[in-house]
């Protein structure tokens, strides 16, 4: 399969100013995702989608291709990720270049590894599914069968719709949440359905010891601490 590795990194971050090129452990945050993507055995091409000249410069220094500058209208806080992906695919299609799937790699998940990325792509290709996402197990206390919503009368109801709550922890089905590290989706699903998931989604479980999703300064501090532990 021809798979496009797409790293989205716009300017204008608010939670952590200039986070995509802010130094984490002595090197720009963008470096972590770029190095792993470029070492993958399965990504046909690795590109950056950005509107920001500084980010683009850093990406090129890292060896990541930047075939276009993302339009500012697609670099807003409210811009859906799917629009950024479709823009990249349509740019390539205009050059008569086509991909079977896109692997979205967000800069905010810096600690994925090459073996993990390649294992995810291998599982995606073998699954026949429309998509694959990286996930982590939901802690027992947050399992959806133990969470509640407020009904029309202002009372609690089980979020999953059951009449009776599952009383024993051992009987809870395993639940997962997407962790943002890897999304892989077939091109036809992205373009036809404007969806990252389609109708069938495979998954790969991430190592919780390597998990951080940097959105706030507290997340940044956590990432710094994780690097310090790894260096000991």
């Amino acid at each position: 399969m021809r798979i496009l590795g797409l790293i989205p990194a716009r300017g204008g971050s608010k939670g952590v100013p200039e986070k995509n090129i802010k130094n984490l452990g002595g090197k720009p945050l963008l470096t972590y995702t770029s190095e792993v993507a470029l070492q993958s055995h399965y990504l046909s091409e690795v590109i950056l989608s950005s509107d920001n000249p500084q980010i683009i410069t850093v990406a090129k220094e890292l060896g990541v291709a930047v075939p276009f500058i993302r339009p500012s209208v697609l670099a807003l806080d409210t811009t859906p990720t799917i629009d950024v992906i479709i823009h990249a695919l349509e740019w390539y299609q205009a050059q008569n270049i086509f991909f079977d799937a896109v692997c979205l790699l967000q800069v905010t998940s810096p600690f994925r590894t090459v073996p993990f990325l390649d294992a995810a792509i291998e599982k995606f290709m073998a699954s026949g599914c429309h998509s694959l996402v990286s996930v982590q197990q939901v802690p027992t206390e947050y399992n959806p069968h133990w969470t509640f919503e407020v009904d029309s009368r202002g009372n609690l109801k089980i979020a999953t719709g059951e009449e009776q709550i599952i009383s024993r922890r051992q009987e809870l089905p395993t639940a997962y949440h997407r962790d943002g590290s890897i999304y892989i989706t077939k091109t036809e699903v992205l373009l036809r359905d404007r969806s990252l998931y389609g109708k069938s989604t495979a998954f790969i479980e991430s190592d919780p010891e390597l998990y951080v999703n940097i959105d706030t300064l507290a997340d940044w501090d956590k990432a710094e601490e994780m690097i310090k532990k790894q260096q000991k």
Side-chain angles (χ1 to χ4, degrees), residues 8-21:
R10 69 180 183 89
S13 171
K14 293 180 179 178
V16 182
E18 299 183 343
K19 69 180 175 186
N20 290 311
I21 53 175

Side-chain angles (χ1 to χ4, degrees), residues 117-194:
L117 174 57
D118 281 351
I121 298 172
E122 288 171 359
K123 186 169 185 180
F124 167 72
M125 292 190 294
S127 72
C129 289
H130 286 166
S131 62
L132 176 143
V133 297
S134 57
V135 299
Q136 299 210 18
Q137 286 194 31
V138 174
T140 299
E141 61 267 32
Y142 300 125
N143 189 289
H145 295 270
W146 276 6
T147 59
F148 298 87
E149 297 174 353
V150 178
D151 65 18
S152 58
R153 295 174 297 175
N155 300 325
L156 291 178
K157 64 177 181 178
I158 303 171
T160 49
E162 293 117 322
E163 292 296 325
Q164 298 293 327
I165 196 164
I166 297 173
S167 60
R168 299 179 70 248
R169 172 181 57 80
Q170 293 85 349
E171 295 176 359
L172 288 170
T174 303
Y176 298 95
H177 68 90
R178 58 182 184 171
D179 67 1
S181 179
I182 297 174
Y183 296 84
I184 311 173
T185 312
K186 289 184 177 180
T187 297
E188 62 184 289
V189 173
L190 292 165
L191 296 177
R192 182 190 65 220
D193 302 334
R194 292 183 55 82

Side-chain angles (χ1 to χ4, degrees), residues 30-209:
L30 177 61
T31 305
Y32 295 87
T33 295
S34 298
E35 289 179 343
V36 169
L38 290 169
Q39 292 178 67
S40 170
H41 293 88
Y42 298 108
L43 296 179
S44 303
E45 189 160 353
V46 177
I47 68 166
L48 176 88
S49 172
S50 181
D51 63 315
N52 184 277
Q54 291 176 294
I55 298 174
I56 289 171
T57 297
V58 172
K60 289 181 176 179
E61 290 173 352
L62 293 169
V64 177
V66 187
F68 52 77
I69 298 175
R70 193 198 306 181
S72 58
V73 69
L74 294 178
L76 306 175
D77 289 341
T78 56
T79 301
T81 300
I82 189 68
D83 289 356
V84 175
I85 298 172
I86 289 175
H87 170 260
L89 286 171
E90 290 180 342
W91 186 91
Y92 272 106
Q93 287 181 345
Q95 322 301 315
N96 288 317
I97 300 172
F98 303 92
F99 296 92
D100 299 299
V102 175
C103 178
L104 180 73
L105 298 169
Q106 300 187 106
V107 179
T108 47
S109 297
F111 300 138
R112 69 178 76 76
T113 65
V114 176
F116 179 67
L117 174 57
D118 281 351
I121 298 172
E122 288 171 359
K123 186 169 185 180
F124 167 72
M125 292 190 294
S127 72
C129 289
H130 286 166
S131 62
L132 176 143
V133 297
S134 57
V135 299
Q136 299 210 18
Q137 286 194 31
V138 174
T140 299
E141 61 267 32
Y142 300 125
N143 189 289
H145 295 270
W146 276 6
T147 59
F148 298 87
E149 297 174 353
V150 178
D151 65 18
S152 58
R153 295 174 297 175
N155 300 325
L156 291 178
K157 64 177 181 178
I158 303 171
T160 49
E162 293 117 322
E163 292 296 325
Q164 298 293 327
I165 196 164
I166 297 173
S167 60
R168 299 179 70 248
R169 172 181 57 80
Q170 293 85 349
E171 295 176 359
L172 288 170
T174 303
Y176 298 95
H177 68 90
R178 58 182 184 171
D179 67 1
S181 179
I182 297 174
Y183 296 84
I184 311 173
T185 312
K186 289 184 177 180
T187 297
E188 62 184 289
V189 173
L190 292 165
L191 296 177
R192 182 190 65 220
D193 302 334
R194 292 183 55 82
S195 170
L196 280 169
Y197 304 97
K199 295 181 179 179
S200 55
T201 302
F203 70 94
I204 188 167
E205 197 168 346
S206 300
D207 182 349
E209 294 296 319

